[in-house]
Amino acid sequence: MEAAGGYSESPGPRRLSSLWADRSLRAKGLIVGVVPIGAFLLTAFLATIEVGVIAGFACSLASIVFFTTSVARRVQRNKENARRLAEGSPLLAPISGRDEVGGVALALQRASAVLTDRQAALEESEAMYRTLARNFPDGVVGLFDHDLRFTLMEGKGLEPIGFTKERLEGRTITEVGQELFPETVHVAEAQYRAALMGEKSTTERLVNDHTFLVQIVPVRSETGEVVAGMLVGLDITDRKDAEEELRRAEAFLDSVVENIPNMVFVKSAEDLRFVRFNRAGEELLGYSRSDLLGKNDYDLFPPEEAEFFTSKDREVLESGRLVDIAEERIQTRERGERFLHTRKIPILDADGHPVYLLGISEDITDRRRADAQIRATKELAERANRAKDEFLSRMSHELRTPLNAVLGFAQILEMEDPTPDQHESVRQILAAGRHLLGLIDEVLDVSRIATGSISLSSEPVSVTDALTEAADLIRPLAVERGIRLRIDDADGLHVLADRQRLKQVLLNLLSNGVKYNREGGDILVTSAHVTPDRLAIRVADTGVGIASEAMARLFDPFDRLGAEMSGVEGTGLGLALSKGLIEAMGGTVKAESEAGAGSAFTIELGLAEPPVDRFEREWGGHEATPSQVTPSRTILYIEDNLSNLRLIERIISDRPQIRLLSAMQASLGLELARDHLPDLVLLDLHLPDMAGDEALRRLRQDPTTRTIPVVMISADATQAQIDRLLAAGADEYLTKPLDVKRFLQIVEAMLDREPSGP
Ligand code: ADP
């Protein structure tokens, strides 16, 4: 600037004229004293200068006018651009210049460029923010200004409630609230205002069936000044629904627990304090829930009861399993002492650790009392029944003794050559007496079964043998009435039974098959496996059958189902006895019948291995080869079970020095003993005509047989029985199934002794 204004280099027109006008210069006499040519020249020169000055002035004036116009235009452009800048519109092209106006234009341009950049950045960040907000899951995000007007509203939560951001942006909360929640709009306004004052708030708001958890918070600038408010609304409808569902389920469960008629309680596993009780619990214990919750057993019950309860609680928690307490006593406040049946169950957390203990208690006091009463009544009835059975049993014994005399003397009379009339009378006495004896025996057996005092000898019994023996006895009766009796072979099968009693049952069934059959009818006996280890023996007839309504009474003692009117003899005891006997042997008896067509009775019993088979299996063996050795020892076996007899025969067959005698009845056995004086008597305890112990007594009484060693063989293995027989004079007692080794030791010992010989 300084250089541009320097005189020496380019004096401008304004400076020349001013020089001319300068009096001090003229006074210096530069022009006075010059010659006239010079004066002329000077005048001309001055005139030229004058013209120049004027021209210069004109030029300067023109320049000034031009300059002023150009500056005004640029200032105008700058002004326009400044307005546009303020408006945010694009600027007009600047009119350049190197002066200050140009500088302003440049500054305006730069400001515009900066503003444009900032605007772009702002738009970009707003777009990003909107994108973020738009993707806000299950909710909405909004911004509002100091007029409570939404400047932004985005989020995926808008659509489900039927809203768009356009419907909300630009409107105030008052306008929106009046439309959506007119009743609480003032609350919302207050919250929005509070946010602008820097306070945040949270509410739940229902909008078009959607529940939002709404947070209204202030938005602060970097300096901490609240510049806007923000709304964050989370759509919690699903969660709410789930909570509601859960609440409903819990309420349902609560009402179930509440209405269970048993006491239900929950204790905390940590300190065994009650955390839950139902109504039945309150009523039983006589405390209100508030009295019970938070307490432990020691707070409520006597110490010994509390100790018992807590010890059971610990057992449950330690074992992690249900504990069933069949009976526990509890002292209640209003109802005195009660008895409970309680089940305690641990409630485990996800890691399997007990957190609670659930208890369910049933008040069994009344039931217990009723049970005790029933027990007492039953005991009384049983005692009365026992007394009845004992009476029957005693009476039967008492009747037997005189009856034996009647029968005995009648037989003597029969032998003493009576007249035909007397013979007929004696025959009648014998028939009636035997019938009475049979009846007494049956009554005795029924009462023994009822009292459980019947003595049975369970051993393998050949079904074929038992059936054949029974059929042989019945056949004459069947033939008399033209009834065909067919017995299918039982294939050598054995059942576990008391031989005599099984025969008795089969006899009864076969005799009924004859008695209640029609003339010329049929009886068919078959045997079949029911399971691999059970056998069914079926006795079917083609007789009168049994009415279906009478079937239920078929096995009742003394009930003849009306047969007493038919003239068929009977006592009504046979089936009752048969059933009792078979059941006592571990079997069953069933009946099926069709009135007019016939009946079938089926006995089911467990299968047993035949004794000889067992011996062969365990001892292996070869058939004995015929020997020339003369037997030097004799064994007498008194046994009615052929299977056992065969076994002993088989064992002895390997010892040719031994001769085996056998008898299937005690009386014959005693006779053989006297006649042959055997080296050893093997005596079965259950014999058809005499009890084994009676046979033993007789052997010991008879001087000829007194010293013969007697070995009892019985299926009855009770120690009392063994002791009794050893005391009665038996040398050994072997139980069935036979201990072959022990038996052989006895035989060996016998062989070592001197032969007794007859
Ligand atoms: P009892 O033959 O001595 O009368 P039971 O106890 O053997 O006694 O039988 C009871 C009743 O069952 C018989 O009186 C008879 O009415 C009926 N009953 C038994 N067996 C048969 C049968 N096979 N067919 C038809 N009725 C039978």
Side-chain angles (χ1 to χ4, degrees), residues 263-281:
M263 171 165 80
V264 177
F265 58 86
V266 179
K267 286 176 175 179
S268 140
E270 203 187 332
D271 53 10
L272 295 180
R273 288 185 182 280
F274 291 104
V275 294
R276 186 95 190 246
F277 251 101
N278 72 344
R279 193 164 42 226

Side-chain angles (χ1 to χ4, degrees), residues 508-509 512-513 515-516 541 544-546 554 559-563 569-576 599 601:
N508 181 46
L509 296 183
N512 282 352
K515 282 197 307 186
Y516 304 106
D541 64 56
V544 294
I546 303 157
L554 190 58
D559 195 339
R560 297 201 63 206
L561 314 180
E569 245 184 55
T571 58
L573 279 172
L575 284 181
S599 313
F601 289 82

